[in-house]
Amino acid sequence: MKKYLLIGVSAFVLGAGSMAYVSQHAMAAATPKANTYRMLGLFGDVLDTVERQYVTPVDDTKLIHAALDGMLTSLDPHSGYLDPEGFDDMRDQTRGEYGGLGLEVTSEDGVVKVISPIDDTPAARAGLKPGDYITAVNGDSVLGLSVSEAVKQMRGKPGETVTLTIAREKADPFDVKVVREIIKQKTATAKLDGDYGVLRISGFDEKTTDEAQAAFAEIHAKNPKMKGLILDLRRNPGGLLDQAVGVSDLFLEGGEIVSQRGRDPRDVERYNARPGDITNGLPMVVLIDSGTASAAEIVAGALQDRKRAEIVGLTSFGKGSVQTVIPLRGGMDGALKLTTARYYTPSGRSIQKTGIEPDLEVASTKDEAQTIANHAYQFSEASFKNALNAEEGKVRKAPHAPAEAPPDTFDAKKDFQLARAEDVLHFGSVALTPKLPKPTAKLAEIYTKAKVAEVKAPTPK
């Protein structure tokens, strides 16, 4: 039985204690187990009542699938039940070819939220952004639906047009028409930008490590004397754990990349790099933003902790958990997607909810700088009410003005974060790179004052 380890996605063991203590331990365990059986009986009673008395006939299978999904999604935002069709879709996606729009989505309070559009897909070309809410598909509301149910409505025959109703902050709801395509996702591409190479990785499927190595080899052949490499992980929603390890391994000569720690403190699995850096020690900078999640955060965290690269951009999403996809009856009954572990960077830090903080914080636009100053939790793992807790005492950075944003003289058609990454390579480090004036964030002051006033206000009686 193949298990997929996802970080962007257990076995149930029944045992008994020592027979010498059966009178004490069996009595202690009897009440919880009896209560479990009673609740399962309650579920059967409710299902029977719905079958007999609901206003229209119901589909038992759909009801039970929905109950399974509801049970799992109550645990955390990334656990869930995949019905057989959904499990097939997941396998297609991890293979890097599937039909659809090219969106990575999740669910927040019953609303479908975009984690990231995938590069060069219909969704990306239509201008969808991380943090957008999808409220309807072809005029039919998806509010309250599970992610898998909403995705089913978005997928279909290639060539057909899908109308998505989008809710975006500071904008009225609007419709976007997107034409379905067969998504042949190439997750790694590279280009030369002057003396520097730029390796873009948009996700982590089964082919990513090989594609990244081939893409770098291609630009290195064009310019063997390139002076540095920028690894662009912005808007990368993650994917397969083994591919995050594989990509990190391309740039490290050895040592730990990431560790995975489960419920049992003794359940620790470590992933190490093998000798061999495909760049031969070329200076590196990694670009991240709030859409950099899970597997992409593993890569950024490993290269940062191992002092292999400095990080430029914005604090990442903060998904520090691992999901195991467990097929049921070989996939005939679908699969469980269950959070089974947290991952830790080489220095031993969990970034669950907190994210990877850049060495040089740079907003891509002035509007983005203002958003961060007012809503640090607008789009991150910490915004989910039932997200797995962060390590005790750790919190995501509060609303603040980013260290840098594009000055008025910067060409708006260019990529400011990329330009600053090249500056870091040019000057040799973040410490040596001349800093720009900190952007003004007037609304942050209003926000802070409002919060202070709220705290100081007398309690209504």
Side-chain angles (χ1 to χ4, degrees):
M1 178 178 70
K2 184 174 182 180
K3 292 184 180 180
Y4 297 80
L5 290 181
L6 302 175
I7 25 187
V9 207
S10 174
F12 296 93
V13 181
L14 299 177
S18 170
M19 291 299 290
Y21 299 96
V22 67
S23 60
Q24 295 179 10
H25 288 262
M27 288 176 65
T31 300
K33 189 59 65 178
N35 187 58
T36 300
Y37 291 141
R38 184 182 71 80
M39 296 305 291
L40 288 172
L42 175 62
F43 175 79
D45 292 342
V46 171
L47 181 63
D48 178 65
T49 301
V50 171
E51 287 176 333
R52 290 185 291 102
Q53 297 189 27
Y54 189 67
V55 64
T56 60
V58 297
D59 184 327
D60 287 356
T61 300
K62 287 185 177 180
L63 287 178
I64 293 172
H65 284 176
L68 291 172
D69 192 54
M71 174 181 68
L72 291 163
T73 55
S74 72
L75 299 173
D76 67 81
H78 309 294
S79 294
Y81 170 72
L82 301 171
D83 63 20
E85 184 179 350
F87 181 45
D88 287 340
D89 287 343
M90 186 277 295
R91 287 185 290 188
D92 287 342
Q93 188 163 343
T94 58
R95 284 193 289 263
E97 182 173 331
Y98 59 95
L101 305 179
L103 276 173
E104 293 283 350
V105 296
T106 188
S107 178
E108 181 179 306
D109 295 331
V111 183
V112 178
K113 190 172 187 178
V114 176
I115 294 177
S116 180
I118 298 168
D119 288 355
D120 196 28
T121 63
R125 293 192 291 270
L128 296 182
K129 298 180 179 181
D132 283 347
Y133 290 95
I134 300 173
T135 60
V137 178
N138 290 329
D140 295 326
S141 174
V142 294
L143 299 177
L145 296 185
S146 67
V147 171
S148 58
E149 290 173 323
V151 168
K152 283 180 184 178
Q153 294 194 29
M154 288 184 271
R155 290 190 174 180
K157 187 176 179 181
E160 292 181 343
T161 299
V162 180
T163 301
L164 304 179
T165 302
I166 303 297
R168 180 179 294 169
E169 187 177 5
K170 297 181 181 179
D172 293 331
F174 58 94
D175 288 343
V176 175
K177 293 185 182 295
V178 190
V179 179
R180 293 189 184 105
E181 293 180 3
I182 295 296
I183 307 298
K184 295 182 178 179
Q185 185 181 356
K186 188 173 183 179
T187 56
T189 57
K191 65 179 182 179
L192 290 169
D193 191 2
D195 291 329
Y196 306 115
V198 181
L199 176 59
R200 165 71 182 156
I201 297 181
S202 60
F204 291 87
D205 64 26
E206 293 177 353
K207 305 172 186 176
T208 300
T209 302
D210 290 340
E211 288 180 353
Q213 187 167 7
F216 175 77
E218 184 177 344
I219 60 170
H220 187 262
K222 292 179 180 177
N223 183 7
K225 295 183 179 181
M226 72 171 72
K227 295 180 179 179
L229 178 68
I230 296 167
L231 179 60
D232 187 355
L233 299 178
R234 292 173 295 177
R235 304 176 305 283
N236 182 321
L240 296 174
L241 171 61
D242 66 330
Q243 295 300 306
V245 171
V247 168
S248 302
D249 192 8
L250 294 178
F251 309 109
L252 295 170
E253 287 287 359
E256 185 172 303
I257 294 171
V258 67
S259 63
Q260 177 182 316
R261 308 179 194 181
R263 182 173 176 176
D264 188 333
R266 297 168 297 180
D267 182 16
V268 179
E269 189 167 358
R270 301 184 186 279
Y271 299 85
N272 297 309
R274 299 162 296 180
D277 174 357
I278 63 170
T279 73
N280 292 317
L282 205 62
M284 285 185 67
V285 168
V286 178
L287 279 173
I288 64 172
D289 63 11
S290 63
T292 302
S294 58
E297 292 175 287
I298 281 184
V299 177
L303 297 182
Q304 185 182 48
D305 279 6
R306 300 294 306 282
K307 310 298 182 186
R308 179 63 186 89
E310 291 191 287
I311 311 295
V312 172
L314 299 175
T315 301
S316 63
F317 188 78
K319 181 180 178 291
S321 62
V322 180
Q323 284 66 49
T324 303
V325 178
I326 308 166
L328 302 173
R329 286 210 308 145
M332 293 177 62
D333 285 333
L336 301 181
K337 186 174 69 167
L338 193 66
T339 298
T340 53
R342 285 184 174 92
Y343 71 76
Y344 293 76
T345 67
S347 65
R349 57 176 170 153
S350 165
I351 55 87
Q352 174 63 17
K353 283 190 176 181
T354 58
I356 300 287
E357 292 189 8
D359 300 296
L360 177 60
E361 189 179 36
V362 179
S364 61
T365 65
K366 288 186 176 181
D367 285 344
E368 186 173 60
Q370 194 60 68
T371 297
I372 295 163
N374 288 275
H375 302 290
Y377 294 92
Q378 179 199 14
F379 181 61
S380 73
E381 180 79 1
S383 67
F384 296 121
K385 293 180 180 178
N386 66 330
L388 194 66
N389 286 332
E391 284 188 337
E392 188 174 352
K394 288 191 175 182
V395 294
R396 192 175 179 88
K397 196 171 183 179
H400 63 283
E404 294 188 359
D408 292 335
T409 56
F410 187 78
D411 185 349
K413 295 180 181 179
K414 294 183 179 179
D415 186 334
F416 182 65
Q417 290 173 325
L418 179 63
R420 292 302 281 157
E422 292 181 349
D423 287 342
V424 171
L425 289 175
H426 173 74
F427 288 100
S429 69
V430 167
L432 296 175
T433 301
K435 304 304 184 292
L436 300 178
K438 196 168 186 176
T440 303
K442 293 181 180 178
L443 290 180
E445 297 173 8
I446 296 172
Y447 173 86
T448 302
K449 289 177 182 177
K451 283 296 179 185
V452 171
E454 181 181 312
V455 172
K456 290 183 176 179
T459 304
K461 295 181 180 180

